[in-house]
Amino acid sequence: MSSHERRSLGYFLGWWFFRVYTWLYHRRRVFNEERVPRTGGAILAANHLSYIDPPLVACSTRRFIHFLARESAFKFLLGVILRSWGCIPVDRDGGSAKGLRTILNRLREGRAIMMFPEGTRSPNGTQQPARGGIGLLIAKSDAPVIPVRVFGTFEAFGRHRFFPRPWRVGVKFGAPRNFKKLRAEAANCTPNRRREIYGQLSQELMSAISGLEPQTD
């Protein structure tokens, strides 16, 4: 694992556990991991099919990934564990002003932030529309955005399953996107146009995620 950030023992052990588990039990496959920047702020945005998705993406890259978690979860032992894994406390899905400031500050510090624009697991295995806030976050940040698509996790451990089954899963990383023109326009336009840009950024990101086709070779 290569990064200038310090990892806790909890993250290191969790990373290795899920790396081995998903390889042995789910026959994990990873494509284009080299597209994840090794340093500097970065937003990784993935589709969301299962509880497996966060650790699957994290163990598929050697970059230290910070996840978002609700503030209400940071209590007692669970809070200790979440902090040891590099999770960032935000209220709900990070859409509030406080949550946005927290995320932007972490990006400026050079952290890699993992997000699921859909906000929750897909109920049927298909990609859902992005929730509000992701377009605003992209516009306010200058960090590259890496679309990520996970495969097979709905079949392995979707909402309809109580226990994961040994289904093949995969992760594919897309080319980083900078959205320079839309970001520049959003900084100098009317409020109505700015809202349109937020929606356009969300749509373009979700299209980039869905456009990452599975590989069978």
Side-chain angles (χ1 to χ4, degrees):
M1 300 175 70
S2 60
S3 171
H4 296 299
E5 296 181 71
R6 292 181 59 189
R7 293 173 178 77
S8 68
L9 179 61
Y11 188 97
F12 180 79
L13 294 176
W15 186 87
W16 272 111
F17 171 81
F18 283 107
R19 194 169 178 87
V20 173
Y21 160 72
T22 54
W23 177 58
L24 292 177
Y25 193 67
H26 295 294
R27 297 174 293 157
R28 170 178 50 88
R29 304 191 73 191
V30 181
F31 303 95
N32 308 125
E33 190 273 337
E34 72 281 355
R35 289 173 168 171
V36 180
R38 290 292 178 259
T39 59
I43 300 170
L44 283 76
N47 59 319
H48 200 5
L49 304 173
S50 166
Y51 282 135
I52 297 175
D53 299 338
L56 173 63
V57 175
C59 76
S60 296
T61 175
R62 294 182 178 275
R63 179 73 191 269
F64 182 15
I65 303 298
H66 295 264
F67 291 91
L68 308 181
R70 294 185 180 182
E71 277 185 326
S72 59
F74 284 77
K75 296 179 180 178
F76 311 113
L77 180 59
L78 180 57
V80 175
I81 295 172
L82 291 174
R83 287 187 175 88
S84 75
W85 288 349
C87 293
I88 299 171
V90 294
D91 39 348
R92 294 188 63 79
D93 60 355
S96 71
K98 180 181 177 182
L100 179 62
R101 285 196 303 270
T102 300
I103 297 167
L104 290 174
N105 286 338
R106 296 298 184 272
L107 291 170
R108 294 188 190 104
E109 292 169 359
R111 314 289 182 92
I113 306 295
M114 181 78 231
M115 303 192 71
F116 296 95
E118 294 160 282
T120 187
R121 294 167 295 155
S122 171
N124 55 15
T126 62
Q127 184 169 292
Q128 307 300 301
R131 287 192 174 183
I134 186 65
L136 170 63
L137 172 62
I138 294 173
K140 293 291 185 180
S141 169
D142 59 0
V145 183
I146 298 89
V148 183
R149 188 172 176 185
V150 296
F151 302 95
T153 57
F154 180 79
E155 293 79 5
F157 194 35
R159 285 177 176 265
H160 58 301
R161 299 198 173 276
F162 293 99
F163 191 82
R165 62 172 176 162
W167 191 274
R168 165 160 272 180
V169 300
V171 180
K172 189 170 186 178
F173 296 93
R177 300 171 64 94
N178 288 308
F179 299 105
K180 288 184 177 179
K181 290 184 178 180
L182 288 175
R183 280 169 161 167
E185 185 180 354
N188 299 281
C189 66
T190 65
N192 286 339
R193 174 55 184 156
R194 191 174 296 118
R195 284 190 290 270
E196 292 177 354
I197 292 174
Y198 296 161
Q200 186 176 345
L201 287 167
S202 297
Q203 292 174 5
E204 290 191 14
L205 173 60
M206 299 310 290
S207 295
I209 294 172
S210 63
L212 294 171
E213 297 294 334
Q215 292 179 232
T216 57
D217 56 328

